[in-house]
Every structure is written in structure tokens, then in C-alpha cells.
Amino acid sequence: DAKTTQPTSMDCAEGRAANLPCNHSTISGNEYVYWYRQIHSQGPQYIIHGLKNNETNEMASLIITEDRKSSTLILPHATLRDTAVYYCIVRSVSGNTPIVFGKGTRLSVIA
Amino acid sequence: GAGVSQSPSNKVTEKGKDVELRCDPISGHTALYWYRQSLGQGLEFLIYFQGNSAPDKSGLPSDRFSAERTGGSVSTLTIQRTQQEDSAVYLCASRSQYEQFFGPGTRLTVL
């Protein structure tokens, strides 16, 4: 699986959009971009994934650049409960190999 | 439907004792993973099962660790002769085609 690079930490004001960047310049054609988050003392939670088109679900939006070398996870209206570590992962959807979690971005939503 | 469940949620044991941690994956998921997370650290892959194939044990830290999956469903992670460095949250996950769902984890404390 390709390597990803994320900022160590970010702050966001409550109610504002949180934009979390991820670089994955070595992504290959059959690899998807996945985002998970881990709220303190809980297991990781799947958020969203995409291949090349932008995706949106009830939790977030995923914007992938045209060259697919980077992406941004957008939480449109961050709440205090969105404070968590956010992991960007690149992997082939057909593979069952274990997800390799990096250090992620620690997002702090501030009142 | 029900998610991944794990038991016990917390386990305190004495150094040298054996422990068993249980994971009930989502029904129908053929892939099952065990990870552990030490305090303030990222997720560390331990072992994964895929259908009837031989498990990938490459992440197990020592021969004191073993796991089995009975009937392609429930899995048990066993740690023999526990050591203080085994203290961590042990997470189980099962996988559908696109998403990996994590359980709440078992917090193991070795005194």
C-alpha cells in the first residue's frame, strides 16, 4: 500500500469546516483513498473512501485531486465530538491485507 | 445490524498468567484482524484470518501470542505468561468488501 503523509495536528473552531489534508504521491491506479478516525478510548471508525471522484456521505466529504496525489477530508460543520485522530490510508479494495495505520492527524475542535 | 463485539471490555491480570480475548465479527465477514494499541501509540497489526486460508501471523510479537478462529466466525486471541509490556488495548476488526469495522477493544492491564 502507498505511503501517506498527514499533518500531526490541527485545530478547528466548533461549527466551522475542518479540512484535513493528506498526501499520497505514490498512489497507484487501483488504490483507493480511505479515511478512518479514532475517538479517544474507542476503536477506529470508517468515515469515507474514494478512487478518483469526490465523494460525500452523512459524515464527511472527500476531495481527491485530479492527479490523485493528494486528498482532503472535509467535515462541514465540526462539533466537539469530532475531536479525534484522523487516519488517511491508501489501499487496494481487492486486498484483504491489514490496514497499516500511520500516525494520523489529531484534530481538536475548540468551542 | 450488530457490529463487531469484543469481550471482556477490560481485563486486569497478574504477570505470568494466561489471558483469552474474544472477538465476534460481523456475520458474513470472511476477513478478521487483530490489532493492539499501546497507550499513546498507533495501531499495531497482530494477525489476520481470511476465510479458510492459513492465518497471517506476521505481526505477532512473540510465541506467547496465538489466535484461532472457529467455524469462520468467532476468534480468540490468547496471550500466555503475560508480561507488563503486553498491557494495551486489543482491537478486533472484520471486513466487508470496502470497509473494515472495528470492535470497541479489550483493555488489558498486566500488573
Side-chain angles (χ1 to χ4, degrees), chain A residues 7 10 18 27 32 35 45 53 55 57 67-68 70 73-74 79 88 97 100 102-104:
Chain A
M10 293 181 64
I27 191 170
Y32 284 67
W35 284 83
Q45 176 190 24
N53 297 321
E55 302 288 343
N57 63 20
D67 63 7
R68 302 210 321 124
S70 65
L73 179 75
I74 301 173
T79 70
C88 170
T97 53
V100 177
K103 296 191 181 299

Short mmCIF file of all heavy atoms in Angstrom, two decimals, chain A residues 7 10 18 27 32 35 45 53 55 57 67-68 70 73-74 79 88 97 100 102-104:
data_model
loop_
_atom_site.label_atom_id
_atom_site.label_comp_id
_atom_site.label_asym_id
_atom_site.label_seq_id
_atom_site.Cartn_x
_atom_site.Cartn_y
_atom_site.Cartn_z
N PRO A 7 -0.53 16.08 8.38
CA PRO A 7 -0.03 16.93 9.47
C PRO A 7 -0.28 16.24 10.81
O PRO A 7 -1.24 15.49 10.97
CB PRO A 7 -0.85 18.22 9.33
CG PRO A 7 -2.03 17.85 8.50
CD PRO A 7 -1.62 16.72 7.63
N MET A 10 -4.15 19.52 14.09
CA MET A 10 -4.87 20.68 13.58
C MET A 10 -5.91 21.09 14.61
O MET A 10 -6.41 20.25 15.36
CB MET A 10 -5.60 20.35 12.27
CG MET A 10 -4.72 20.06 11.09
SD MET A 10 -5.72 19.71 9.63
CE MET A 10 -6.53 21.27 9.38
N ALA A 18 -13.81 21.66 8.95
CA ALA A 18 -12.47 21.14 9.20
C ALA A 18 -11.99 20.50 7.91
O ALA A 18 -12.67 19.64 7.34
CB ALA A 18 -12.50 20.11 10.32
N ILE A 27 0.53 6.86 -4.94
CA ILE A 27 -0.68 6.05 -5.10
C ILE A 27 -0.70 5.42 -6.50
O ILE A 27 -0.29 6.04 -7.48
CB ILE A 27 -1.94 6.91 -4.86
CG1 ILE A 27 -3.18 6.04 -4.76
CG2 ILE A 27 -2.08 7.98 -5.94
CD1 ILE A 27 -4.42 6.81 -4.29
N TYR A 32 -7.44 2.91 -3.55
CA TYR A 32 -8.43 3.84 -3.07
C TYR A 32 -7.85 4.64 -1.91
O TYR A 32 -6.94 4.19 -1.21
CB TYR A 32 -9.67 3.09 -2.57
CG TYR A 32 -10.58 2.56 -3.65
CD1 TYR A 32 -10.16 1.53 -4.50
CD2 TYR A 32 -11.86 3.05 -3.81
CE1 TYR A 32 -10.99 1.04 -5.48
CE2 TYR A 32 -12.71 2.56 -4.79
CZ TYR A 32 -12.27 1.56 -5.61
OH TYR A 32 -13.09 1.06 -6.58
N TRP A 35 -10.48 7.03 4.67
CA TRP A 35 -10.30 7.80 5.89
C TRP A 35 -11.01 7.08 7.05
O TRP A 35 -12.15 6.62 6.91
CB TRP A 35 -10.88 9.21 5.76
CG TRP A 35 -10.00 10.13 4.95
CD1 TRP A 35 -9.94 10.24 3.59
CD2 TRP A 35 -9.07 11.08 5.47
NE1 TRP A 35 -9.02 11.20 3.23
CE2 TRP A 35 -8.48 11.74 4.37
CE3 TRP A 35 -8.68 11.45 6.76
CZ2 TRP A 35 -7.51 12.74 4.51
CZ3 TRP A 35 -7.73 12.45 6.90
CH2 TRP A 35 -7.16 13.08 5.79
N GLN A 45 -13.02 4.17 13.41
CA GLN A 45 -14.31 4.23 12.74
C GLN A 45 -14.12 4.62 11.28
O GLN A 45 -13.44 5.61 10.99
CB GLN A 45 -15.20 5.26 13.46
CG GLN A 45 -16.55 5.49 12.81
CD GLN A 45 -17.28 6.68 13.42
OE1 GLN A 45 -16.67 7.59 13.98
NE2 GLN A 45 -18.59 6.69 13.30
N ASN A 53 -13.18 10.19 -7.99
CA ASN A 53 -14.23 11.19 -7.92
C ASN A 53 -14.41 11.66 -6.49
O ASN A 53 -14.13 10.92 -5.55
CB ASN A 53 -15.55 10.61 -8.43
CG ASN A 53 -15.46 10.21 -9.88
OD1 ASN A 53 -14.84 10.89 -10.69
ND2 ASN A 53 -16.09 9.11 -10.23
N GLU A 55 -16.34 12.34 -3.15
CA GLU A 55 -17.38 11.57 -2.51
C GLU A 55 -17.94 12.34 -1.32
O GLU A 55 -17.22 13.11 -0.68
CB GLU A 55 -16.83 10.22 -2.01
CG GLU A 55 -16.21 9.34 -3.08
CD GLU A 55 -17.24 8.72 -4.01
OE1 GLU A 55 -18.43 8.71 -3.66
OE2 GLU A 55 -16.84 8.25 -5.10
N ASN A 57 -20.76 11.67 2.09
CA ASN A 57 -21.75 10.89 2.82
C ASN A 57 -22.22 11.71 4.02
O ASN A 57 -21.94 12.92 4.10
CB ASN A 57 -21.21 9.51 3.21
CG ASN A 57 -20.01 9.59 4.15
OD1 ASN A 57 -19.78 10.60 4.81
ND2 ASN A 57 -19.25 8.51 4.20
N ASP A 67 -4.81 14.55 -10.15
CA ASP A 67 -3.68 13.63 -10.31
C ASP A 67 -3.65 12.55 -9.22
O ASP A 67 -2.77 11.68 -9.22
CB ASP A 67 -2.34 14.39 -10.34
CG ASP A 67 -2.05 15.12 -9.03
OD1 ASP A 67 -2.81 14.94 -8.05
OD2 ASP A 67 -1.08 15.88 -8.99
N ARG A 68 -4.59 12.63 -8.29
CA ARG A 68 -4.78 11.65 -7.20
C ARG A 68 -3.61 11.61 -6.24
O ARG A 68 -3.50 10.70 -5.42
CB ARG A 68 -5.04 10.25 -7.76
CG ARG A 68 -6.22 10.16 -8.65
CD ARG A 68 -6.95 8.83 -8.67
NE ARG A 68 -6.08 7.68 -8.61
CZ ARG A 68 -6.17 6.74 -7.68
NH1 ARG A 68 -7.07 6.82 -6.72
NH2 ARG A 68 -5.34 5.69 -7.71
N SER A 70 -3.05 13.76 -3.86
CA SER A 70 -3.43 14.28 -2.54
C SER A 70 -4.95 14.31 -2.43
O SER A 70 -5.66 14.21 -3.44
CB SER A 70 -2.84 15.67 -2.30
OG SER A 70 -3.40 16.59 -3.21
N LEU A 73 -10.08 15.62 3.45
CA LEU A 73 -11.32 15.23 4.12
C LEU A 73 -11.94 16.48 4.70
O LEU A 73 -11.26 17.25 5.38
CB LEU A 73 -11.02 14.23 5.24
CG LEU A 73 -12.24 13.77 6.03
CD1 LEU A 73 -13.06 12.77 5.20
CD2 LEU A 73 -11.83 13.14 7.36
N ILE A 74 -13.21 16.67 4.43
CA ILE A 74 -13.90 17.86 4.91
C ILE A 74 -15.03 17.46 5.85
O ILE A 74 -15.92 16.69 5.47
CB ILE A 74 -14.47 18.69 3.74
CG1 ILE A 74 -13.34 19.12 2.80
CG2 ILE A 74 -15.23 19.90 4.27
CD1 ILE A 74 -13.83 19.80 1.53
N THR A 79 -18.02 19.55 15.18
CA THR A 79 -18.53 19.64 16.55
C THR A 79 -17.45 19.12 17.50
O THR A 79 -16.47 18.51 17.08
CB THR A 79 -19.80 18.80 16.74
OG1 THR A 79 -19.45 17.41 16.69
CG2 THR A 79 -20.83 19.10 15.66
N CYS A 88 -5.56 8.81 7.19
CA CYS A 88 -5.69 8.69 5.74
C CYS A 88 -4.90 7.46 5.31
O CYS A 88 -3.73 7.32 5.66
CB CYS A 88 -5.14 9.95 5.08
SG CYS A 88 -4.95 9.87 3.29
N THR A 97 -5.25 -7.54 2.93
CA THR A 97 -4.13 -7.33 3.85
C THR A 97 -4.50 -6.29 4.89
O THR A 97 -5.35 -5.43 4.65
CB THR A 97 -2.88 -6.87 3.08
OG1 THR A 97 -3.24 -5.73 2.28
CG2 THR A 97 -2.37 -7.97 2.18
N VAL A 100 -2.59 -0.59 7.39
CA VAL A 100 -1.44 -0.06 8.12
C VAL A 100 -1.77 1.38 8.48
O VAL A 100 -1.90 2.24 7.60
CB VAL A 100 -0.16 -0.12 7.27
CG1 VAL A 100 1.01 0.53 8.02
CG2 VAL A 100 0.16 -1.56 6.91
N GLY A 102 -0.91 4.95 9.95
CA GLY A 102 0.19 5.83 10.30
C GLY A 102 -0.14 6.56 11.58
O GLY A 102 -0.92 6.07 12.40
N LYS A 103 0.45 7.72 11.75
CA LYS A 103 0.22 8.48 12.99
C LYS A 103 -1.02 9.36 12.91
O LYS A 103 -1.53 9.81 13.92
CB LYS A 103 1.45 9.31 13.34
CG LYS A 103 2.67 8.45 13.64
CD LYS A 103 3.79 9.27 14.23
CE LYS A 103 5.01 8.41 14.50
NZ LYS A 103 4.71 7.34 15.46
N GLY A 104 -1.51 9.64 11.69
CA GLY A 104 -2.72 10.40 11.53
C GLY A 104 -2.59 11.85 11.94
O GLY A 104 -1.52 12.34 12.31
#
